[in-house]
Amino acid sequence: MGPIDQSEALHRRARAFIEAAALGVDRAGSTGAGRAAAASPPQDQGERGALPETFDALAIALARHQAAHCAPVARLFEARGADVAAMDHAAQIPAVPCDVFRFARVAAHPPEADERVFRTSGTSLGAASRGEHPFRTTATYELAALAWGERLLWPDGARLRAIVLAPPLHEAPDSSLGFMIDRFAARLSGPASWHVRGGELDAAGFARACAEARASGEPALVLGTSFAFVHLIEHLIGARLPEGAALLPEGSRVMQTGGYKGRSREVPAEELRASIARALGVPLSHVVSEYGMTELSSQLYEGTLAAALAGAPGAAPGLYLAPPWTRVTAADPETLTPLPAGAIGLARIVDLANVDSAVAIQTADRVRVTAEGVELLGRASGAPPRGCSIAMDQMLGGGP
């Protein structure tokens, strides 16, 4: 079996796992409790037959494929002395630092097999330093995004309009966020509109979309980046839009993503959440933050909306829920070894939807992981932590 056929077989296995795991979440009702899978999916589901195989078995199969067909991954494994044939747990897989995607092609297939390439924004280091994540197929990405999005953003199955504070996909075809939002809008099947075009916020168009939602009585899902919301609120405060222009019908909700630090200032997360809720007329619980990155194929969300809709005790904002096809742990910044639950370290994410790149990703985001979820504590300041720097050097062939 050639590499492409191997990849296709692994994608089928990954999609089967995602579908079964999502159904398992529905049966357990864990999203309604606001704790869906937290950071560590149950380890024995495969043995009980709820899943087609164990998380670790699939993660190791993906790691073997990637080590065999992706040179940077192979170099990292060799430098770490990682014997992929002897692995029996996903924690043994060396994690690829996010920065490597800026300097090397992390893909187990040739460029001519790319269906789509997602690129990082390049806002911090410039367009020339944009990372790239090539996809041979986006089918597994799409399944994972929709499966978790619908459980944390519209678990009630409501018919929702999509009102988007981001460019349409045709303006940003290499944006993973744009791709995800485009698929969300298609799945929701209601009216959809985009209000960032040509790099400009269309605040008046946004207000018209809100007015249409009010007139129809149909709730909306507003999706956008954190600073798109900041600029929208500035229009509202500056009286460039009439008071109440952005109010939405009951049942509406918001997904915001991205950092809170812009080019000129930093907006505290809770301040922005309150401003969004006030401007759009939605409960605080219905403003949901998303955590994702170009180098991953899965996303994490706060569980506040799912808990509120289920009438469960209030889930804490700032705690992110990982889907059961990912595993998030805190890693020591120096050694990159896993830390015990509750310790603060750098987020290491094993993502079973990352079939053709790197199943294990090492970020520079500081986290605390508990049974309740993943608490984000901001980026590690300054240069990449020592462990990430060493791993990147090893991948790029710079040392043992």
Side-chain angles (χ1 to χ4, degrees):
M1 185 184 293
I4 298 298
D5 290 334
Q6 292 173 23
S7 166
E8 191 57 39
L10 288 167
H11 275 282
R12 287 195 295 269
R13 288 170 64 180
R15 290 195 291 269
F17 189 100
I18 291 166
E19 289 171 345
L23 288 174
V25 167
D26 292 340
R27 287 194 295 268
S30 12
T31 53
R35 294 182 55 194
S40 299
Q43 299 302 300
D44 60 347
Q45 285 188 344
E47 286 75 15
R48 289 204 310 267
L51 297 175
E53 58 187 309
T54 66
F55 184 102
D56 294 292
L58 181 52
I60 291 166
L62 295 175
R64 287 173 180 159
H65 174 70
Q66 293 159 4
H69 301 291
C70 179
V73 172
R75 284 195 294 268
L76 177 63
F77 282 27
E78 183 180 2
R80 294 289 182 85
D83 182 0
V84 71
M87 291 179 183
D88 57 11
H89 196 279
Q92 298 167 314
I93 302 171
V96 174
C98 290
D99 275 352
V100 170
F101 286 76
R102 296 195 290 118
F103 300 109
R105 178 179 167 86
V106 184
H109 61 276
E112 57 269 23
D114 289 347
E115 176 184 309
R116 190 177 286 268
V117 178
F118 293 138
R119 294 179 174 87
T120 59
S121 63
T123 52
S124 59
L125 295 170
S129 297
R130 296 176 72 188
E132 295 189 346
H133 189 175
F135 282 78
R136 190 190 62 79
T137 172
T138 57
T140 304
Y141 181 105
E142 182 173 348
L143 175 66
L146 287 168
W148 206 232
E150 66 187 13
R151 284 162 177 81
L152 274 299
L153 296 175
W154 61 95
D156 51 348
R159 174 181 166 82
L160 298 167
R161 293 170 171 257
I163 303 177
V164 184
L165 287 174
L169 186 59
H170 67 83
E171 285 193 15
D174 58 359
S175 165
S176 57
L177 175 64
F179 181 86
M180 182 183 77
I181 290 176
D182 184 80
R183 296 306 185 264
F184 282 2
R187 174 61 63 90
L188 291 170
S189 71
S193 56
W194 279 257
H195 301 285
V196 175
R197 294 180 179 273
E200 297 291 331
L201 173 67
D202 176 17
F206 181 88
R208 284 194 298 273
C210 293
E212 290 169 3
R214 291 196 302 274
S216 69
E218 287 183 347
L221 170 60
V222 182
L223 310 109
T225 62
S226 298
F227 263 85
F229 283 106
V230 169
H231 290 297
L232 174 69
I233 290 165
E234 286 177 346
H235 275 73
L236 297 171
I237 293 173
R240 283 173 277 184
L241 291 175
E243 185 177 353
L247 292 177
L248 292 169
E250 184 177 355
S252 297
R253 67 281 315 254
V254 174
M255 185 209 83
Q256 60 161 328
T257 186
Y260 304 97
K261 187 174 182 180
R263 289 185 175 89
S264 59
R265 66 199 184 288
E266 186 169 352
V267 179
E270 287 312 304
E271 178 184 322
L272 180 57
R273 183 191 306 274
S275 296
I276 292 171
R278 187 165 51 250
L280 303 186
V282 302
L284 284 171
S285 61
H286 287 40
V287 180
V288 178
S289 291
E290 180 255 14
Y291 174 77
M293 60 183 64
T294 303
E295 298 85 359
L296 293 173
S297 298
S298 300
Q299 300 80 33
L300 284 69
Y301 295 94
E302 293 173 316
T304 55
L305 172 67
L309 292 176
L319 282 177
Y320 291 76
L321 308 180
W325 51 90
T326 69
R327 189 175 290 170
V328 184
T329 53
D332 183 277
E334 293 286 328
T335 65
L336 301 185
T337 55
L339 296 170
I344 296 175
L346 302 181
R348 169 195 160 96
I349 304 173
V350 179
D351 182 358
L352 298 183
N354 258 12
V355 174
D356 291 312
S357 52
V359 65
I361 295 293
Q362 183 61 60
T363 80
D365 294 325
R366 297 170 64 248
V367 295
R368 180 188 288 111
V369 182
T370 68
E372 298 300 318
V374 180
E375 182 183 0
L376 298 181
L377 302 171
R379 298 275 292 176
S381 60
R386 183 173 179 272
C388 293
S389 295
I390 292 172
M392 184 162 63
D393 192 39
Q394 290 169 334
M395 289 195 73
L396 300 177

